């Protein structure tokens, strides 16, 4: 706080109002308090956390059963994490949003349910187990890796394996070849011993260990989860397996699921599709279909670079295949680009064609039925350097020149495309600048060995007219952007994006055959014509690099597979309508993400043959497994009945034991309700989730009353009220969730809202094991305490921007939490001893009571809007500062109130409200306040969110701010007078104006009318004032007054637009005269109305008084002489 606050303790009540509007709070968390390195305070918090967690589990506080029809409910879910390791801080951050939300809604009187499952579907676990097997086979048990595999860069703070096992914090170890780090060493970094790691060669062992560990960590986090409903996925859980098969039979029956050849991102190692959840990098990357242009080498056996290979090329066409997204531009080719240093290879593709291309492209072709060697890494006929092919004469399809030549381009990537690039300088800024560099630099041509006849005769060929750019778009934009050479890559990227987009959307063809037609209309027609005429082929690549969990770089394969028909017009339209009109997304960015994904999401390959999962429930030549994205789109419905099937972490009412914490998450034990997996026929699932057939018509051994109970429970909880997730899942899981709900359930049971957050940074850096800042959930809870961690996660940020977990902040919260407990204990002792003030509230009591009521409303609104940072800034940092400065205010009143203690009623009100508003975020601390210190019956989790005792008093609120501002202005006036007299004044007089002048009344009306229409004060308001002849003459005065109104609007809301001043200034200053006089150190202070003609005009100050700005005069008055 500023020095000013020391002299003006009442600034608490002013500063609070800034807090509630979101101003001035950041400084409270960027300069945290510090303490010694003793862990006593942290240990105290951990002790109370363990104590209350044990009580909550014993009392089944978070086990939630449905209420009566019509009862309010809140059903929130979080994407179940993948169980190939420990939960980390990123999981904790995203999950905290759901956890805070369920805590808040529970306190609002709703039946609030938060279940949690564990995902084990897919390839990662199977791939990791396979790696361990291979490492043991190659290096022994335990593996004795050679030095180059074992060599690491040790962190200065490196810990032993035992330390890591308890801390959960990864050190800064980094292999020289991190991408190929042995799996065994990765497991050691998790804190596992060699004896333990050996067991992970069995994929099923992962399913037993990590879900168990995650469940323990979630309990330690204080999670309000109904663990009865917890389960694992795949066929290892026969109940969930049955549910997923039911879903897919419905999808197929609805014609949403088909089988056939489709492009898909493919792992050659796993021999199956590599979807987002199967990737170590490249999440969200799609297969991008391109056109492979067949650029033919003229007279190949006469070309010097090809003569050595005449034996394999005899009778063959030699093709330089160029992949392009713009087949309509081939009319403008002037040459072909090749990377001089590129390593190219020749492959026989057909009986009459040999392609010279990059190895990466050849692998893609092999998996797309292009070539003689399929579904493999093909063996080349020969290799050749790009430099050797310079000057090859070529025949380019649709080109206006009969012969073009192969020329060098230095920016070609051999990892994308084929390494062969078409050159269309009329419409490609890259091509234009590369061509101009060669044309304009003879010394450069000479250095590269480029003959003039290969380039100088070739001029730009106009093919497309683009509004604003003309028919030489590349040349136009390069000149406009002052691009000087092909090395200006940043600007070329921008130029390319601008030309390509506008060329597609607005471009008009000007070549004869297609003249006058829009590019977007003829593009597919030109492409198909080239394919039909054997001038091009269909081809696809990943949009960018994709690496599978097995470490292989993925390709695009054209394979038979099961695929979901996302993007199908009717299906897409009903999902889009739900997004547009029903779905709450909380932020514009989230909504925009859904809109974009709906626009491009298309057929999704949903099967594989490697890994763990549920088998596709249809006959076929292979045992196709359903992929990890597709078995997790409607499992939220399964939560509503899962406790009848498995019993999760409280099996048959038993508490978890150290030996078997999850008890029955895999359904391996008999169902608590007696249901067997084979009892769950499609007819049974149909009744539970769809209500058909009628209960009486069911042919099942399951008791009808039990089925009716399960059906009723589903109907009570659905639809899902909130889904919380990281923003990266918008492009896959979340949109697929909407699609599949639309395919299975009626509209009234589709998700109601989805909240997405950004990623979590640690001290403004991305979490990484190599940086030593990769924090597991277990580590942060044990290192900092659960509630300090939860505060810091809430403070880290909301919305789609990346949040920041600051370790100095979390340390500061340990001190803040424990000091608050100490203060409450001390105050309770004072209350017990009768030392707290009672009786009628004074002005500052009433202001504090009013501030508490406003804080309750502000925090309530923040929680309801999923704005947890705002909730904690107001309900924790702001509230505590409000309390502290109230204490300063009452203790500073010695000149008018001899009983300066905290009012007893307000103390208990403050502690109760503090406990209640913070329960969603700091449940253990609040439980300790509620039960441990205040002695309240029952858990704070069962208490209701606080209500204001009365409406917020705007006049009282503004009176407090007025008093603070006025005191500040008086102090400045006194300091100014002391510069002249060098003596502190002893006496003062104040003149108060109580009524608006006419121009002020007009200004209030103008601003109020504008705000009511536009809900803001526009920037051009001064122009509107100037347009009014009556107001124009007072323009300067009015705009100053409007600035004051804008400030009040921000602090207090639209209630400030009154025709008369809200604060009764004269009455207030008269009532608080003794306080102000004492604060200013005056012997006497007089207060007059400026309109009082009988009042003396000391210092000629009367006329200077304005509404909200009383004038004053201060002077030194010598004491009268003694008689």
């Amino acid at each position: 706080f500023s020095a000013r606050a020391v002299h003006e303790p009442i600034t608490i009540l002013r500063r609070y109002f800034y807090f509630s509007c979101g101003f001035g709070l950041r400084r409270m968390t960027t300069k945290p308090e510090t303490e010694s390195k003793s862990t006593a305070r942290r240990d105290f918090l951990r002790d109370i956390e363990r104590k209350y967690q044990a009580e909550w589990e014993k009392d089944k506080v978070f086990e939630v059963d449905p209420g009566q029809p019509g009862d309010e409910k809140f059903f929130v879910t979080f994407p179940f994490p993948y169980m190939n390791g420990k939960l980390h801080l990123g999981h904790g951050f995203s999950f905290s949003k759901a956890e805070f939300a369920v805590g808040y809604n529970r306190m609002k009187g709703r039946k609030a349910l938060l279940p949690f499952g564990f995902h084990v579907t897919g390839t990662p676990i199977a791939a990791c187990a396979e790696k361990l097997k291979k490492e043991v086979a190659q290096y022994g048990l335990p593996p004795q890796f050679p030095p180059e595999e074992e060599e690491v860069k040790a962190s200065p703070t490196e810990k032993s394996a035992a330390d890591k096992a308890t801390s959960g914090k990864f050190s800064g170890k980094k292999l020289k070849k991190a991408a190929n780090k042995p799996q065994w060493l990765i497991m050691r970094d998790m804190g596992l011993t060699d004896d333990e790691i050996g067991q992970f060669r069995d994929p099923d062992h992962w399913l037993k260990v990590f879900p168990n560990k995650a469940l323990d960590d979630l309990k330690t986090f204080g999670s309000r989860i109904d663990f009865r409903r917890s389960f694992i996925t795949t066929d290892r859980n026969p109940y969930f397996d049955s549910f997923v098969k039911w879903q897919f039979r419905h999808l197929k029956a609805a014609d949403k699921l088909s089988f056939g050849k489709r492009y898909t991102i493919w792992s050659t190692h796993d021999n199956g599709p590599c979807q987002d959840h199967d990737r170590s990098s490249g999440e969200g990357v799609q297969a991008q279909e391109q056109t492979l242009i067949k650029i033919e080498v003229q007279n190949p056996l006469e070309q010097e670079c090809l003569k050595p290979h005449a034996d394999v090329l005899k009778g063959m066409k030699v093709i330089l295949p160029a992949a392009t997204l713009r087949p309509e531009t081939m009319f403008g080719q002037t040459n072909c680009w090749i990377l001089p240093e590129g390593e190219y290879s020749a492959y026989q593709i057909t009986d009459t064609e040999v392609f010279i291309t990059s190895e990466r492209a050849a692998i893609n072709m092999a998996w797309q039925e292009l070539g003689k060697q399929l579904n493999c890494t093909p063996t080349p006929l020969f290799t050749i350097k790009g430099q050797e092919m310079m000057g090859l004469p070529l025949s380019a399809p649709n080109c206006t020149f009969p012969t073009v030549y192969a020329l060098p381009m230095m920016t070609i990537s051999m990892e994308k495309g084929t390494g062969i690039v078409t050159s269309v300088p009329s419409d490609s800024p890259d091509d234009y600048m590369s061509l101009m560099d060669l044309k304009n630099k003879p010394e450069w041509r000479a250095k590269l060995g480029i003959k003039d006849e290969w380039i100088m005769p070739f001029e730009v060929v106009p093919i497309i007219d683009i509004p604003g750019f003309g028919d030489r778009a590349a040349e136009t934009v390069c000149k406009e952007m002052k691009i000087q050479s092909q090395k200006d890559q940043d600007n070329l990227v921008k130029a390319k994006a601008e030309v390509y987009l506008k060329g597609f959307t607005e471009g008009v063809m000007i070549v004869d055959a297609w003249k006058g037609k829009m590019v977007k209309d003829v593009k597919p027609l030109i492409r198909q014509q080239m394919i039909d005429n054997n001038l091009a082929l269909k081809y696809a690549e990943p949009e960018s690099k994709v690496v599978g969990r097995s470490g292989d770089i993925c390709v695009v394969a054209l394979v038979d597979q099961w695929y979901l028909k996302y993007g199908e017009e009717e299906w897409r339209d009903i999902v889009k309508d739900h997004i547009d009109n029903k779905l709450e997304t909380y932020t514009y960015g989230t909504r925009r993400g859904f809109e974009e994904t709906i626009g491009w999401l298309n057929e999704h390959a949903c099967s594989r043959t490697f890994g763990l999962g549920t088998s596709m429930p249809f006959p076929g030549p292979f045992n196709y497994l359903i992929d990890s994205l597709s078995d997790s789109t409607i499992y939220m419905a399964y939560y509503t009945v899962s406790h009848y099937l498995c019993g999760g972490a409280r099996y048959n009412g038993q508490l978890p034991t150290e030996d078997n914490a999850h008890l029955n998450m895999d359904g391996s034990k008999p169902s608590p309700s007696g249901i067997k997996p084979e009892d769950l026929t499609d007819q049974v699932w149909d009744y539970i989730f769809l209500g058909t057939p009628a209960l009486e018509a069911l042919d099942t051994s399951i008791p009808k009353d039990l089925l009716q109970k399960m059906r009723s429970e589903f109907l009570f909880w659905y639809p899902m009220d909130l889904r919380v997730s990281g923003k990266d899942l918008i492009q896959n899981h979340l949109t697929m969730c909407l699609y599949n709900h639309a395919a299975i359930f009626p509209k009234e049971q589709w998700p109601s809202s989805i909240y997405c957050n950004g990623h979590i940074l640690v001290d403004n850096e991305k979490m990484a094991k190599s940086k030593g800042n990769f924090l597991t959930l277990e580590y942060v809870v044990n290192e900092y305490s659960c509630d300090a961690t939860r505060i810091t996660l809430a403070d880290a940020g909301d919305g789609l921007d990346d949040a920041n977990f600051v370790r100095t902040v979390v340390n500061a919260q340990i001190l803040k939490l424990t000091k608050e407990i100490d203060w409450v204990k001390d105050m309770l002792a004072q209350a017990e001893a009768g030392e707290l003030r009672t009786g009628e509230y004074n002005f500052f009591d009433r202001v504090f009571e009013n501030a508490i009521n406003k804080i309750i409303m502000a925090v309530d609104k923040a929680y309801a809007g999923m704005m947890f940072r705002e909730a904690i800034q107001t309900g924790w940092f702001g509230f505590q500062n409000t309390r502290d400065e109230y204490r300063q205010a009452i203790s500073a009143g010695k000149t008018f109130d001899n009983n300066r203690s905290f009012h007893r009623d307000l103390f208990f009100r403050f502690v109760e409200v503090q406990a209640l508003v913070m329960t969603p975020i700091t449940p253990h601390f609040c439980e300790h306040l509620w039960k441990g210190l205040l002695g309240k019956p029952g858990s704070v989790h069962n208490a209701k969110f606080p209500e204001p005792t009365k409406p917020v008093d705007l006049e009282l609120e503004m009176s407090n701010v007025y008093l603070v501002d006025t005191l500040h202005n008086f102090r400045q006036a006194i300091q100014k007078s002391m510069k002249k007299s060098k003596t502190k004044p002893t006496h003062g007089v104040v003149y108060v104006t109580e009524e608006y002048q006419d121009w002020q009344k007009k200004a209030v009306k103008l601003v109020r009318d504008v705000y009511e229409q536009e809900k803001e004060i526009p920037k051009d308001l001064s122009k509107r004032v100037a347009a009014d002849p009556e107001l124009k003459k007072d323009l300067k005065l009015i705009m100053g007054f409007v600035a004051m109104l804008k400030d009040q609007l921000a602090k207090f809301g639209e209630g400030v637009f009154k025709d008369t001043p809200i604060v009764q200034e004269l009455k207030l200053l008269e009532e608080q005269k003794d306080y102000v006089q004492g604060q200013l150190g005056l012997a006497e202070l007089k207060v007059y109305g400026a309109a009082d003609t009988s009042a003396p005009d000391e210092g000629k100050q009367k006329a200077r008084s304005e509404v909200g700005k009383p004038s004053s005069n201060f002077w030194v008055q010598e004491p009268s002489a003694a008689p």
Side-chain angles (χ1 to χ4, degrees), residues 346 354 444 856 1027:
V354 169
W444 179 241
I856 290 171

Side-chain angles (χ1 to χ4, degrees), residues 290-293 295 319-324 335-345 347 355-365 384-387 389-390 392 394 406-423 539 541:
Q290 303 178 23
T291 305
L292 209 59
I293 306 298
I295 303 175
I319 305 295
L320 303 187
T324 181
N335 60 281
C336 168
W337 299 116
I338 293 177
L339 181 66
E341 299 303 316
E343 187 78 27
Y344 293 84
S345 301
Y347 303 89
F355 282 13
I356 298 179
T357 184
S358 68
E359 180 185 29
R360 191 81 215 144
I363 297 172
N364 268 281
M365 293 180 203
I384 185 170
K385 276 282 191 181
Q387 184 62 49
M389 296 191 288
M390 291 304 150
L392 278 178
L394 307 169
L407 299 176
M409 178 181 270
M410 307 306 171
T411 56
I412 293 174
S413 169
M414 298 298 286
E415 298 302 316
K416 187 170 179 62
T418 63
I420 310 294
V421 179
T422 61
S423 176
Y539 175 72
E541 283 193 353

Side-chain angles (χ1 to χ4, degrees), residues 12-28:
I12 166 194
L13 308 169
R14 177 194 191 188
R15 195 163 277 119
Y16 157 65
F17 300 122
Y18 287 100
F19 297 156
S20 66
C21 297
F23 298 105
L25 287 173
R26 186 66 252 175
R27 57 185 174 184
M28 296 174 199

Side-chain angles (χ1 to χ4, degrees), residues 421-489:
V421 179
T422 61
S423 176
V424 184
S426 61
D427 289 81
S428 167
D430 285 301
D431 294 344
Y432 176 76
M433 290 312 307
S434 296
L435 188 68
M436 290 302 104
D437 281 352
L438 286 173
K439 276 180 168 283
N440 298 331
K441 299 176 181 179
E443 69 283 357
W444 179 241
R445 295 199 301 273
K447 183 177 180 179
L448 296 173
I450 304 301
K451 297 179 181 180
D452 285 357
E453 58 264 31
W454 297 348
I455 187 167
M456 298 310 291
F458 299 91
E459 299 296 337
V460 171
V461 179
I463 57 173
I464 299 172
D465 184 65
I466 304 175
F469 293 132
D471 58 10
R472 295 170 180 258
E475 179 180 356
T476 299
V477 75
C478 285
K479 288 180 178 178
E480 287 179 354
M481 297 181 68
K482 295 182 173 56
I483 298 173
Q484 300 298 316
S485 82
Q486 61 184 304
K487 294 180 181 180
D488 191 355
Q489 283 299 302

Side-chain angles (χ1 to χ4, degrees), residues 882-1047:
T882 299
R883 180 274 317 273
D884 291 343
E885 292 192 359
Y886 162 69
R887 292 164 62 195
Q888 293 176 16
I890 57 175
S891 67
K894 59 185 178 182
T895 61
F896 67 97
D897 187 349
N898 291 325
N899 189 351
R900 293 176 282 120
S901 63
F902 211 118
H903 197 287
R904 188 180 191 281
D905 294 347
L906 284 175
F907 161 68
F908 282 103
R909 173 68 172 162
F910 167 79
V911 178
E912 288 182 15
V913 171
Q914 179 71 99
L916 294 172
V917 298
M918 284 298 292
T919 291
I921 294 173
T922 55
H924 313 87
F925 165 78
C926 296
E927 188 77 285
H928 189 61
L929 294 183
W930 190 255
K931 290 177 66 174
L933 299 182
L934 295 179
K936 298 281 187 178
S939 172
V940 73
H941 290 292
N942 297 325
K944 293 293 187 287
F945 198 83
E947 296 285 343
T949 54
K950 60 183 70 171
V952 173
D953 187 332
L954 179 61
E955 181 182 348
L956 182 59
E957 187 178 12
M958 294 184 69
S959 295
N960 171 61
V961 174
Y962 172 85
L963 189 60
V964 173
D965 285 340
T966 300
L967 191 59
H968 171 67
N969 293 336
F970 290 169
R971 187 167 286 112
Q972 285 186 326
I974 289 174
Q975 290 172 348
K976 185 176 180 180
S977 71
M978 288 175 63
K979 289 182 180 180
K980 296 179 180 179
S981 66
K982 308 299 182 182
T983 307
K984 186 176 180 180
T986 59
H987 289 64
V989 63
V990 175
Y991 301 101
V992 178
T993 298
E994 299 183 88
E995 298 292 335
Y996 283 140
Q997 296 181 43
D998 289 343
W999 66 265
Q1000 289 175 314
K1001 293 177 181 178
K1002 292 176 183 178
V1004 170
K1005 183 179 185 306
L1006 173 67
V1007 174
R1008 181 175 60 229
D1009 291 346
V1010 170
Y1011 184 81
E1012 287 176 353
Q1013 291 181 4
E1014 303 181 25
K1015 294 304 176 185
E1016 65 177 357
I1017 298 179
K1019 294 179 180 179
D1020 68 344
L1021 186 62
S1022 61
K1023 295 181 180 179
R1024 304 188 194 189
V1025 173
D1028 188 324
E1030 293 185 19
L1031 298 177
K1032 184 177 180 179
K1033 59 183 179 180
D1034 297 313
L1035 180 61
K1036 187 174 181 179
L1037 287 172
I1038 288 176
M1039 293 315 298
F1041 184 67
V1042 168
M1044 182 194 74
L1045 290 176
K1046 286 179 67 174
D1047 184 55

